[in-house]
Amino acid sequence: MHSSGKTLNGSEIFIECLRRENVDYIFGYPGGSLLKVYETLYDVHDIQHILVRHEQGATHMAEGYARATGKPGVVLVTSGPGATNTVTGIANAYMDSSPMVVFTGQVPSSLIGNDAFQEADIVGITRPITKHNFLVKDVKELAATISKAFYLATTGRPGPVLVDMPKDILNASCNFEWPETVEIRGFKPTIKCHINQVEKAAQKIAASKRPLLYIGGGVISAEASQELQKLAIQLNIPVTMTLQGLGAFPGNHPLSMGMLGMHGTYWANQAVNRCDLLIAVGARFDDRVTGKVETFAPQAYKIHNDIDPTNVDKNVKVDLPVVGDAKNFLAGLFEVMPKTTENRDPWLAEINAWRQQCPLSYSNEDNALRTEFVIEEVSKQTKGNAVVVTDVGQHQMWTSQFYTFINPRSIITSGGLGTMGYGLPAAIGAAFGIKDRPVVLFCGDGGFMMNIQELVTAVHHKIPIKIFLINNSFLGMVRQWQELFHKEKYSFTDLGDSNPDFVKVAEAFGCRALKADNPDSAKAAIEEALAWNDGPILVDFRVVKKDMVFPMVPAGGSISDMLLARLNPKTMV
Amino acid sequence: MKHLISVLVENKFGSLNRVAAMFSARGFNLESISIGETEDAEISRMTIVTRGEDQIISQVLKQLNRLVDTIKVIDLTRQPHVERELLLMTLKLTKTQQHEIFELINVFKGKVVDIKQKSITIEVIGSPDKINTTIDIFRPYGIKELARSGAVAIHRGE
Ligand SMILES: Cc1ncc(C[n+]2csc(CCOP(=O)(O)OP(=O)(O)O)c2C)c(N)n1
Ligand SMILES: [Mg+2]
């Protein structure tokens, strides 16, 4: 322990700890239990506090910031309702393995358990959705607890950690001691992969005629894109990515096959079906990826590298598990790879034939405005260099298909939990972290309303995000399932009569706004939005109402159940 | 198959809850769970009895390990171990059965811990199997109330 010899109160210790952790933004909202912290914050200028307008917004902002930068996002909220408002955002970060530290105020220790005013057992509530959480019981433990929280959030598989701080602890004083090292005996993640497993994997890869890399978000959080590219390109192995893995390998490279799974490309899913070797790295065989597990990659020998051993053999039984960090695995593979490997040209030709057979396409005959066009146009105009944030729904899946992701940390989207309302605050958080690339948001007209209050935050801080509102007047993704699987009963998904005029709404918030309803005006609006950097700008794209996202493997289905087009949705491939 | 898992956890507020909640959140079977201090005041030992196919048990062990408060997880099932459970049981006491009951208590090496005019409370220690048998045998005499501790277990020494 290093002792600075200074006596500080709990609130000052809290701030001092954030300094030691190099925190530059706190996304927060004050309240009774945090008055002392906010008193301290008043004179703090080296850490910026961003006042959100709803605590859920704070959590998604922190997560957007974390995913864009790789640094942990920090949230500060008061007890009771402030704390419970963070639950969705914490669950989201947990499912998508994003590093985040959430600080909640709590009623004074002496009142805990008494149903005190604004008391909620947030440690109990968030136990299953945090990597770990703490209730601080003594001001002398505060600094050590905070350093553990950051360590846990960022080490091994990242995730959210919550620290609950009772009011009396924040007022009490003690000698400030910052622990230079963190030691948690029950937490020792395996970073380095077992060399025998890596060697075995390398042999399998060298001997495979039809290998396929199946890449997840773990490759991005491990900062292993370079290693992946080197391996895939030198060994001529095609790469398919999950939603969170997009950008780990450049989407414009011939070996990139785009996304796999429910709304993945036809050729990626066919390749999964046909490959003789599947190399899963930092991916977790989620049901949106596998469909029916019994028929997933039926011919493949399966290698699975993951930093979290619980992901191995959880959904799909694999042949060769390799627990450890993705960067360590991919770099290790390269080192021990046999000199000669199988020729993959016939395999790549097979894949290309599928690609030609069923490319991603959309109709543009009628001069109507379609989401696919908007996204493709944004992709072209930003040259794939934007940080792209999405909300949840059809526009999200189309983003995965029609935006060409070139770099890691370029897609920020709610994958595991599928949280509508994530997009706007996540985009704002990303823009706080990334200033040298445009941050664009594709958001549905349904989800935009779920955290619309954060538009104020963006306007107030002049955050130059481009809000591309994909306005189809429907809860489009639900509408699609109703059309395909629920007898076309469009139960409570038509927003046409009730949506506000989004341009006026944005303007009332002080946000510049445009409207576009055909391809030409859309193109011009995108240009204008990308050129505007004096705060946020919204474009209300009035797109066709009833488009559907294809291909689609129905939930729990096999590749052979893939639906390819709307004209005859019953057609199986 | 039945598995007996020994878990060393930080002796901290919430540790038991974290383990129990993990079992229910992931839908794992939890037959019994017991917890107590160890030779080290900072560490508690939990003994868990669960059932499942090998693949499930392997997930159970990994998920237990993943909890930050768990220090060590050992599946004792296939290792030399001693397993004991405590049974406390109150039986109806009638003149006619009195004799038989006392004889059975002896057979099961039980102890009388309380005796009233119409009831008797006994204590039996043994493997969970023995405890099951004890309960079966005493049932016809009229069990008024019973409590089981759940299994506690430990490695056999070298
Ligand atoms: C908080 C939340 N509530 C409900 C859902 C279920 N849901 C998934 S997609 C969707 C429709 C989204 O509509 P919109 O935001 O307009 O996007 P679109 O699909 O039209 O692109 C709904 C309701 C969800 N994912 N999240
Ligand atoms: Mg919509």
Side-chain angles (χ1 to χ4, degrees):
Chain A
M1 285 264 185
H2 155 96
S3 169
S4 75
K6 255 193 294 182
T7 298
L8 301 178
N9 67 39
S11 298
E12 292 161 342
I13 291 175
F14 167 72
I15 298 295
E16 201 47 48
C17 290
L18 297 194
R19 284 198 180 105
R20 308 283 170 128
E21 294 291 350
N22 298 315
V23 171
D24 36 25
Y25 293 105
I26 302 171
F27 301 98
Y29 207 93
S33 64
L34 289 180
L35 281 165
K36 192 75 185 169
V37 176
Y38 276 81
E39 178 192 318
T40 311
L41 265 175
Y42 192 80
D43 299 310
V44 170
H45 305 293
D46 53 336
I47 299 175
Q48 220 188 321
H49 175 277
I50 307 300
L51 178 68
V52 297
R53 291 302 191 277
H54 185 295
E55 291 87 350
Q56 184 185 354
T59 55
H60 297 325
M61 263 179 229
E63 188 177 352
Y65 172 88
R67 295 202 76 89
T69 61
K71 292 171 65 182
V74 175
V75 174
L76 175 65
V77 298
T78 193
S79 68
T84 55
N85 272 348
T86 65
V87 168
T88 302
I90 294 174
N92 195 89
Y94 186 65
M95 290 290 270
D96 284 340
S97 310
S98 302
M100 181 156 108
V101 184
V102 177
F103 293 95
T104 49
Q106 182 54 281
V107 301
S109 308
S110 58
L111 295 184
I112 291 180
N114 291 5
D115 301 324
F117 178 63
Q118 295 197 323
E119 176 181 2
D121 174 15
I122 198 63
V123 168
I125 290 170
T126 59
R127 222 167 252 153
I129 52 168
T130 49
K131 196 167 162 186
H132 197 62
N133 59 18
F134 300 92
L135 170 65
V136 183
K137 292 187 147 179
D138 185 333
V139 67
K140 292 194 208 80
E141 286 166 13
L142 183 59
T145 305
I146 293 175
S147 91
K148 277 183 194 166
F150 277 89
Y151 179 75
L152 286 168
T154 53
T155 310
R157 182 181 182 180
V161 176
L162 181 139
V163 182
D164 201 20
M165 308 183 295
K167 187 168 183 166
D168 52 312
I169 305 280
L170 294 169
N171 283 295
S173 296
C174 75
N175 191 36
F176 173 67
E177 289 179 50
W178 178 246
E180 296 298 334
T181 55
V182 180
E183 168 66 27
I184 304 169
R185 56 183 159 182
F187 181 74
K188 300 264 169 347
T190 307
I191 307 290
K192 211 170 163 312
C193 303
H194 202 289
I195 184 66
N196 292 352
Q197 301 294 91
V198 178
E199 271 169 5
K200 245 188 246 168
Q203 276 152 21
K204 283 286 173 188
I205 293 170
S208 160
K209 289 193 166 67
R210 301 190 308 276
L212 179 63
L213 280 155
Y214 152 39
I215 299 302
V219 170
I220 291 177
S221 48
E223 309 282 358
S225 292
Q226 289 302 325
E227 288 76 6
L228 169 65
Q229 287 176 37
K230 197 165 147 194
L231 186 80
I233 293 169
Q234 295 214 11
L235 298 175
N236 218 14
I237 306 174
V239 183
T240 182
M241 291 158 274
T242 68
L243 184 62
Q244 300 295 15
L246 289 170
F249 188 81
N252 56 356
H253 191 281
L255 285 170
S256 167
M257 311 181 61
M259 189 171 81
L260 78 167
M262 182 176 275
H263 290 295
T265 62
Y266 175 75
W267 56 98
N269 283 331
Q270 291 300 337
V272 171
N273 212 25
R274 259 288 278 168
C275 65
D276 64 6
L277 176 72
L278 187 73
I279 314 143
V281 189
R284 60 186 173 92
F285 294 86
D286 171 68
D287 55 88
R288 284 294 187 264
V289 162
T290 62
K292 189 174 178 187
V293 286
E294 292 78 11
T295 56
F296 180 73
Q299 308 175 22
Y301 180 91
K302 299 181 187 75
I303 300 172
H304 187 190
N305 164 240
D306 203 291
I307 196 153
D308 182 348
T310 67
N311 274 345
V312 177
D313 286 342
K314 183 174 63 183
N315 301 335
V316 170
K317 179 105 188 78
V318 299
D319 302 290
L320 182 63
V322 190
V323 174
D325 180 70
K327 196 179 180 93
N328 182 274
F329 176 63
L330 291 166
L333 270 181
F334 202 80
E335 270 170 35
V336 299
M337 191 60 63
K339 286 278 168 308
T340 53
T341 57
E342 281 286 336
N343 175 14
R344 276 80 192 238
D345 291 340
W347 171 228
L348 295 174
E350 210 175 330
I351 290 170
N352 262 329
W354 288 318
R355 200 191 291 253
Q356 251 115 61
Q357 195 183 331
C358 289
L360 290 171
S361 65
Y362 59 94
S363 145
N364 48 9
E365 288 155 12
D366 47 6
N367 203 38
L369 184 58
R370 289 192 161 71
T371 310
E372 299 96 311
F373 172 84
V374 173
I375 293 167
E376 202 172 52
E377 186 59 31
V378 173
S379 184
K380 278 184 203 155
Q381 291 197 21
T382 58
K383 303 191 177 65
N385 183 44
V387 177
V388 178
V389 185
T390 82
D391 209 78
V392 171
Q394 289 183 311
H395 65 278
Q396 177 188 32
M397 292 298 106
W398 275 316
T399 303
S400 75
Q401 297 178 341
F402 289 92
Y403 194 94
T404 307
F405 294 94
I406 317 271
N407 300 305
R409 298 201 182 280
S410 293
I411 184 166
I412 298 180
T413 188
S414 169
L417 199 64
T419 309
M420 283 172 71
Y422 173 84
L424 176 62
I428 297 169
F432 273 113
I434 300 290
K435 316 265 186 197
D436 57 352
R437 294 163 68 192
V439 176
V440 310
L441 164 67
F442 294 111
C443 190
D445 49 324
F448 187 56
M449 294 292 273
M450 286 204 177
N451 271 314
I452 194 168
Q453 76 286 344
E454 298 312 330
L455 203 46
V456 178
T457 314
V459 169
H460 179 67
H461 291 278
K462 293 209 168 191
I463 299 299
I465 52 170
K466 326 299 169 194
I467 304 169
F468 294 140
L469 186 73
I470 305 298
N471 186 353
N472 55 5
S473 303
F474 267 100
L475 298 175
M477 186 54 95
V478 179
R479 200 207 68 84
Q480 171 164 350
W481 285 54
Q482 288 171 333
E483 177 169 343
L484 291 173
F485 313 116
H486 294 277
K487 310 190 191 99
E488 300 180 43
K489 295 197 186 291
Y490 300 121
S491 193
F492 302 101
T493 47
D494 188 344
L495 305 176
D497 297 334
S498 48
N499 265 342
D501 179 335
F502 287 106
V503 168
K504 278 195 190 150
V505 169
E507 283 170 354
F509 276 94
C511 173
R512 202 172 156 217
L514 311 167
K515 192 181 306 193
D517 56 9
N518 64 60
D520 287 336
S521 62
K523 214 171 155 176
I526 293 166
E527 275 167 22
E528 202 170 334
L530 289 173
W532 174 262
N533 282 309
D534 196 24
I537 181 164
L538 176 144
V539 185
D540 181 6
F541 291 104
R542 300 298 185 89
V543 298
V544 297
K545 293 186 175 186
K546 297 189 172 173
D547 258 4
M548 290 201 274
V549 187
F550 292 110
M552 177 177 195
V553 181
S558 305
I559 302 299
S560 56
D561 303 323
M562 196 186 322
L563 308 172
L564 283 176
R566 118 178 266 175
L567 293 178
N568 192 355
K570 307 275 157 0
T571 313
M572 305 292 185
V573 178
Chain B
M1 183 189 152
K2 182 186 139 181
H3 280 253
L4 185 66
I5 301 168
S6 180
V7 188
L8 294 178
V9 297
E10 297 282 350
N11 183 7
K12 271 189 201 152
F13 137 98
S15 294
L16 175 63
N17 182 298
R18 281 178 209 281
V19 171
M22 187 279 285
F23 271 77
S24 77
R26 301 213 172 251
F28 297 143
N29 161 290
L30 183 56
E31 234 159 67
S32 79
I33 185 165
S34 70
I35 184 166
E37 281 188 7
T38 61
E39 68 284 357
D40 180 340
E42 284 183 5
I43 297 178
S44 302
R45 184 186 297 278
M46 252 178 226
T47 309
I48 291 170
V49 178
T50 180
R51 245 168 233 284
E53 320 248 303
D54 287 356
Q55 192 254 337
I56 301 281
I57 296 299
S58 134
Q59 267 296 317
V60 168
L61 298 173
K62 289 194 276 189
Q63 293 287 354
L64 281 168
N65 263 309
R66 188 160 89 134
L67 296 172
V68 172
D69 280 346
T70 57
I71 299 162
K72 201 167 177 191
V73 179
I74 314 147
D75 186 357
L76 289 173
T77 317
R78 293 194 182 93
Q79 301 186 20
H81 65 266
V82 192
E83 181 188 6
R84 289 291 180 268
E85 188 171 358
L86 166 69
L87 168 72
L88 291 172
M89 180 163 66
T90 303
L91 301 160
K92 275 190 208 142
L93 198 60
T94 58
K95 285 263 149 57
T96 47
Q97 293 181 338
Q98 201 170 330
H99 191 67
E100 280 174 60
I101 287 178
F102 278 108
E103 230 159 59
L104 283 172
I105 293 173
N106 272 335
V107 171
F108 285 99
K109 299 204 174 69
K111 259 199 219 160
V112 176
V113 290
D114 191 26
I115 187 155
K116 294 270 153 49
Q117 232 164 24
K118 287 182 182 160
S119 70
I120 178 166
T121 302
I122 64 167
E123 159 195 308
V124 180
I125 292 173
S127 68
D129 273 352
K130 176 183 163 183
I131 300 295
N132 287 340
T133 316
T134 313
I135 294 169
D136 284 348
I137 298 290
F138 278 99
R139 186 159 278 132
Y141 297 93
I143 299 174
K144 294 175 87 168
E145 223 176 359
L146 73 79
R148 302 175 67 152
S149 66
V152 292
I154 196 166
H155 259 136
R156 272 186 198 278
E158 304 277 286

